[in-house]
Amino acid sequence: MSLTASRMLPNNNFVGLRQYATLIDNGRWQVSVVNLALFGVLFLAASLVLGFILAALIDQRVRAESLLRSVFLYPFSMSFIVIGLAWRWLLDPTLGIEKLLHDIGLTGAHFDWLIRPDRVIFTLVLTAVWHASGLVMAIMLAGLRGIDREIWNAARVDGISTWRTLVFIVAPMLRGSFATAFVLLATSVVRLYDLSVATTNGGPGIASELPAKFVMDYLFDRGNIGLAAAAAAAATTMLATVAMVVAPWFYWQTRRSRQAGMA
Amino acid sequence: MQHELPVPHGLVRPGAVSLRGVEIAYGSFRVLDRLDLEVAQSEFLVLLGPSGCGKSTLLNAVAGLTEVDAGEIWVGGRNVTWKEPKDRGIAMVFQSYTLYPRMTVRGNMSFGLQVAGIARAEIQRRVREAAAMLRIEDLLDRKPAELSGGQRQRVAIGRALVREAAVCLFDEPLSNLDAQLRTELRTEIKRLHVRLGATMIFVTHDQIEALTLADRIAVMRDRRIQQLGTPTEIYTRPVSRFVATFVGCPAMGFIAGHLVEGRRFKADGLDLSLDGYQALGEMAAGRPVDLGIRPEHITLAPGHPEAIEAPLELVEPMGSDLLAWVRLGTVSLAMRLPAETPLSLGDRLPVMLPASRFNLFDAASGLRI
Ligand SMILES: Nc1ncnc2c1ncn2[C@@H]1O[C@H](COP(=O)(O)OP(=O)(O)O)[C@@H](O)[C@H]1O
Ligand SMILES: [Mg+2]
């Protein structure tokens, strides 16, 4: 399909790799791929770190446990659409936080992140991180609770501070949990269509365009089936490449942590 | 918080540990009840008791891992009640090895020292010395997962030794090991104690470990120390029926009966003289008591006028010696005899029960009379 000149309807005019050449030259496609890469890296790193920190806080029995749970765990039960719309509303300068701050006299405050092209992708990352870190927190918490309390005691007698114990002793023991969370998050990066549609609809301009949205737009709105198929194939290839790197790593990690677990 | 009393120079005993009126509760459940304990410099003290009696809680209180609700803890002449574990001059070994799994043996032993800012050369010296003492030099670059249980516990002991603390705490360090390794490492810990002269407090529920290792044993039951004494005192003069049963293997045998006029003990089909028994208090006639005697204290005395004819019911060979179960009145008692003693079932053995070896306990309270 991606090797044909199909527009509204599929046809069989063979055009070789021309659709792929068009795709690579398409500025909008370039933006969407860069966005995906940027989004993916930032989102994965931030969610894993934040989720781990939250889980560690709860594991150390901070008082705000139920608050943390509700602020971070419940978002995960909502779809990206709801989250996206909520943030769109919160960050709309004429409706949300900015209006609120202006109303109480803070006229210097700017919450225009969703309408500034250079910020919008980071705002999407923020939204998605908030959405996902609850899940990471739950996975990490299960891992943390499985760690022998006496390890903490041993580290305390050794004079190793809580954060050092977390970073140098406990986190390395949770490789399996990190890998699980990583794979789950990675799949949600690929599904990112709905968040960008609901929050910004790719805008302002094409600043928050993403490959999945690109495919959908060309397929339905613009009636360019050939280019959409090429884009879909390209996205799938990227995904497959990532999967080919991640899957063996994941397998290796779980095997290692199982061995360590038996230890 | 309380000011530390200045201790005159020369009197500082870096390894003496003292617990004064220590109380610990989990919620409304009191685990330690106004507990006092003095451990001398270089002493090997064993806390012995069944599981759940509060041994770990007591040890964790000394380590600073559990906060006390009342009372004070002193180590080496300093009040450390509110000090962090690392500032108490103690090191600790745990039951479950608790090695840091992603670090090498060397990393496990040196990480705490690095964090404390100790010079690299000094760390290397300490690790080398501890590794040599524990014969784990060849393992320094391995990860814990590549070690056997015995090796792991050696490493954990090594990690405690490099702290060069005056007090070493052990919480059942041998209970996860199989029998042979356990005896081996037990001897090694005793050797370390002799060599280092550190104060050691060792928690166990294994009475053999307690008897073999301890300078003094504290037998614990239900949140308090029931008896504190040398292994010989604990073994030969237990203060309660509980201590008598808990210490010694094979266990002490008991005959239920009562005291009668003229310092005698009477039970179904038995009437024994108590001449030679060192009683703690008065022995009122009619008082119901349990008479306990250890298997090795019952002897064969052919031709002796006081010997009792007792039928042999069962023989349990134990290698170097054997256990012969004989019937006395309505109870079966074990006696320990040399392995080569010629015996056949149904023999009537002339047995002697020496009153000096008796342990009399009040039947109601279980306390020694
Ligand atoms: N963190 C805790 N919370 C509530 N109860 C505890 C806790 N730790 C120990 N206990 C209880 O305190 C008692 C003594 O425990 P412990 O000191 O661990 O005993 P031992 O080491 O002699 O087996 C036990 O009955 C145990 O159930
Ligand atoms: Mg215990």
Side-chain angles (χ1 to χ4, degrees), chain B residues 182-199:
Chain B
R182 192 187 277 214
T183 6
E184 200 181 302
L185 210 49
R186 188 179 78 202
T187 315
E188 205 135 338
I189 290 175
K190 183 138 191 174
R191 219 169 252 145
L192 282 176
H193 177 247
V194 172
R195 176 156 175 194
L196 299 171
T199 309

Side-chain angles (χ1 to χ4, degrees), chain A residues 102-188:
Chain A
H102 287 191
D103 285 351
I104 61 170
L106 297 168
T107 45
H110 288 293
F111 274 92
D112 52 359
W113 301 344
L114 276 185
I115 54 171
R116 288 189 38 188
D118 58 333
R119 294 262 176 95
V120 64
I121 193 71
F122 299 104
T123 312
L124 281 190
V125 169
L126 206 69
T127 315
V129 166
W130 176 62
H131 180 256
S133 47
L135 175 74
V136 180
M137 173 178 88
I139 293 170
M140 294 296 167
L141 192 55
L144 283 173
R145 292 271 150 97
I147 287 180
D148 185 355
R149 299 313 300 181
E150 284 197 339
I151 288 261
W152 284 95
N153 284 345
R156 241 182 109 191
V157 171
D158 253 355
I160 301 164
S161 63
T162 306
W163 76 265
R164 272 210 172 92
T165 309
L166 259 182
V167 173
F168 295 109
I169 296 167
V170 171
M173 294 170 75
L174 291 180
R175 284 192 199 185
S177 305
F178 274 105
T180 309
F182 181 88
V183 169
L184 288 175
L185 294 181
T187 60
S188 81

Side-chain angles (χ1 to χ4, degrees), chain A residues 18-90:
Chain A
R18 205 186 70 211
Q19 293 285 26
Y20 287 95
T22 317
L23 185 68
I24 288 166
D25 284 339
N26 186 318
R28 188 168 164 190
W29 172 253
Q30 287 165 7
V31 170
S32 70
V33 169
V34 170
N35 274 347
L36 181 68
L38 198 60
F39 178 93
V41 170
L42 289 177
F43 167 72
L44 285 170
S47 304
L48 289 175
V49 170
L50 182 64
F52 178 67
I53 292 173
L54 289 172
L57 285 176
I58 290 183
D59 192 50
Q60 296 292 305
R61 310 217 170 75
V62 293
R63 284 191 213 297
E65 170 163 353
S66 64
L67 178 74
L68 286 181
R69 272 185 201 281
S70 44
V71 171
F72 286 97
L73 207 47
Y74 297 139
F76 193 74
S77 59
M78 295 181 246
S79 79
F80 266 141
I81 299 281
V82 178
I83 301 285
L85 288 174
W87 279 89
R88 183 177 192 163
W89 178 78
L90 279 175

Side-chain angles (χ1 to χ4, degrees), chain A residues 148 150 157-158 172 256 263, chain B residues 84 96 99-100 102 152 163:
Chain A
D148 185 355
E150 284 197 339
V157 171
D158 253 355
R256 278 193 48 146
Chain B
E84 267 295 298
S96 54
L99 297 181
Y100 313 138
R102 299 290 175 184
R152 277 181 216 173
R163 293 179 58 73

